[in-house]
Amino acid sequence: MTPATLSAALVDQVPAMQARATTLDAEELFPEQDFQMLRELGALRAPLPSAQGGQGAGTEPGGMDLIVRLLITLGWGNLAVGRLFEAHVNALKLIVAYGTPAQVGRVAAEVWDGHLFGLWVTDPAEHALQLSAGALRGSKGPCSGAGHVTRALVTMSTPAGSQMAVVAVDRTVAVEPKRGVLQGMRACINGVARFHDTPLADDALIGGPGDYLREPLLSTGAWRTSAVTLGGLDALVAATRDQLARRGHQDALLQQDRFGHMLIAQETARLWTTAAAQHAEASQAPAADQVAYVNLARIAVEAACLDAMRLAQRALGLAAFLRPNPVERLLRDLAVYLRQPAPDSVLTEAASHAFSA
Ligand SMILES: Cc1cc2nc3c(=O)[nH]c(=O)nc-3n(C[C@H](O)[C@H](O)[C@H](O)COP(=O)(O)OP(=O)(O)OC[C@H]3O[C@@H](n4cnc5c(N)ncnc54)[C@H](O)[C@@H]3O)c2cc1C
């Protein structure tokens, strides 16, 4: 499939994804059908470099437009699906950036076999994952796709520093989905992965110590989360417009005022996201400039979404809080998904960078 055909095919899937999203959220079910659809369309292998039969979506400058479109479209269809897909892309991007050709080839073959990758880098408060004497001990969490992703790129502490490794999520890893605790993004199936003397396969370590924390990739990848979020915002704006129109409020001045500001927030998020993608994926600018720009974009998109969420609640009133109104789920999913790491330092470091320029 060409990038244009793949994007168009995915757009065609959005109504079905949105229809499934209500049940997946209510019953906290992993979006199996959505990922089967993505597998069949070839979207899961689109992030692979062209040399591996992919389309470089997110891994090569030429694949930038495609990954922007895929992430926004998936967020529009179902934020949880978008988030899981984004983790798959993030893991593949890091493996392509830091792995050896043999490792990239092996991972590409697994993606062609249909494996979905997770990116498990957050450590729980206790028992952070460690590697010693060739075995993994400790936990990772929260882990999206718990019990469903079949490969994960994990970070662990080693005597030499923090390292990444690809692990097969099989019987050697105890994965516990934590249902009933998250307000939104419930179809992500977050959980904890516990490793009990799990042997690390030969040649599983990706890159060297400290590579995961290396800039610009550590920070610039945040634009992908913003893109998925923007898709969710698109869905919120569309649903609010439809519901206001159904009530006959399209000519009410104050509703127009609120909806106009939602459109401004939506376009603000779109402009920042697409420019951030350009800075992260196809720019020759110094790494510090790329990082600062994407950091500002992350906060701008967060602010735009929070603004639009407040306006949707005010415009629709109680209906925005009643299930199964899709707006109710979108507000919960967006509220949770917007909680990304360290927002204060992201903003203050970008401001500080502007002073030092
Ligand atoms: C739906 C969902 C799925 C996820 N899936 C995964 C996954 O698959 N894999 C994974 O690894 N992680 C996952 N995560 C976790 C995610 O990567 C982040 O770790 C998490 O979202 C961080 O959110 P937080 O609000 O706790 O951030 P924090 O960074 O804890 O921020 C909370 C607040 O504290 C402030 N703050 C932070 N540090 C300091 C400090 N030192 N001093 C003072 N203030 C500070 C921040 O600015 C912010 O205001 C997921 C999260 C979500 C929401």
Side-chain angles (χ1 to χ4, degrees), residues 11 52 71 73 91-92 100 125 130 143 152 155 220 239 242 261 265 295 298 330:
V11 169
Q52 263 73 39
L71 292 167
T73 306
L92 296 183
T100 62
Q130 296 183 350
C143 300
T155 49
T220 54
D242 292 350
H261 281 100
N295 280 349
R298 204 187 111 179
L330 285 165

Side-chain angles (χ1 to χ4, degrees), residues 49 58-59 89-101 103-104 153 164 206-208 211 214 217:
T59 51
V89 177
N90 197 345
L92 296 183
K93 175 147 188 126
L94 291 167
I95 293 164
V96 168
Y98 297 116
T100 62
Q103 290 174 322
V104 174
L153 183 68
M164 292 181 279
I206 302 289
D211 275 350
R214 198 139 45 100
L217 285 192

Side-chain angles (χ1 to χ4, degrees), residues 33-328:
Q33 253 183 292
D34 298 78
F35 277 93
Q36 194 48 34
M37 173 272 289
L38 291 173
R39 237 173 238 116
E40 285 165 13
L41 288 180
L44 290 191
R45 41 179 204 272
L48 293 174
S50 16
Q52 263 73 39
Q55 306 198 31
T59 51
E60 293 171 342
M64 188 192 75
D65 287 344
L66 178 60
I67 191 64
V68 170
R69 287 202 297 271
L70 293 183
L71 292 167
I72 296 174
T73 306
L74 289 177
W76 180 25
N78 182 342
L79 277 159
V81 176
R83 188 273 168 280
L84 289 158
F85 180 77
E86 192 282 322
H88 175 79
V89 177
N90 197 345
L92 296 183
K93 175 147 188 126
L94 291 167
I95 293 164
V96 168
Y98 297 116
T100 62
Q103 290 174 322
V104 174
R106 203 164 54 232
V107 162
E110 294 185 327
V111 173
W112 272 93
D113 278 349
H115 285 281
L116 175 65
F117 278 68
L119 178 73
W120 297 347
V121 295
T122 308
D123 287 307
E126 291 177 344
H127 306 302
L129 190 63
Q130 296 183 350
L131 174 67
S132 75
L136 294 167
R137 293 180 194 91
S139 312
K140 299 305 287 186
C143 300
S144 288
H148 299 273
V149 304
T150 46
R151 295 288 181 273
L153 183 68
V154 300
T155 49
M156 68 202 71
S157 68
T158 75
S162 169
Q163 282 257 199
M164 292 181 279
V166 173
V167 295
V169 189
D170 53 19
R171 276 172 296 133
T172 62
V173 187
V175 179
E176 295 163 25
K178 298 261 181 228
R179 288 194 163 80
V181 292
L182 260 184
Q183 182 194 28
M185 300 296 273
R186 289 152 51 91
C188 275
I189 316 297
N190 271 5
V192 176
R194 299 186 206 283
F195 298 77
H196 302 287
D197 288 321
T198 308
L200 190 65
D202 286 346
D203 203 26
L205 288 177
I206 302 289
D211 275 350
Y212 175 71
L213 298 173
R214 198 139 45 100
E215 296 292 12
L217 285 192
L218 174 68
S219 298
T220 54
W223 81 263
R224 289 187 305 266
T225 299
S226 297
V228 175
T229 313
L230 167 61
L233 176 58
D234 287 343
L236 178 68
V237 171
T240 305
R241 183 200 55 216
D242 292 350
Q243 293 183 28
L244 287 176
R246 271 206 298 277
R247 291 174 182 188
H249 287 187
Q250 64 271 33
D251 298 322
L253 274 181
L254 285 173
Q255 297 289 38
Q256 289 177 341
D257 177 272
R258 279 189 275 271
F259 191 64
H261 281 100
M262 285 183 76
L263 292 174
I264 291 170
Q266 180 186 28
E267 188 59 12
T268 301
R270 185 176 319 286
L271 293 170
W272 271 105
T273 300
T274 48
Q278 185 73 35
H279 276 73
E281 302 292 315
S283 156
Q284 301 300 322
D289 293 356
Q290 294 179 32
V291 168
Y293 193 91
V294 173
N295 280 349
L296 290 177
R298 204 187 111 179
I299 301 302
V301 172
E302 181 196 21
C305 287
L306 291 171
D307 216 17
M309 290 161 68
R310 175 182 61 80
L311 290 161
Q313 289 175 354
R314 190 68 189 273
L316 299 178
L318 189 60
F321 298 83
L322 291 178
R323 294 182 187 143
N325 187 338
V327 168
E328 187 274 338

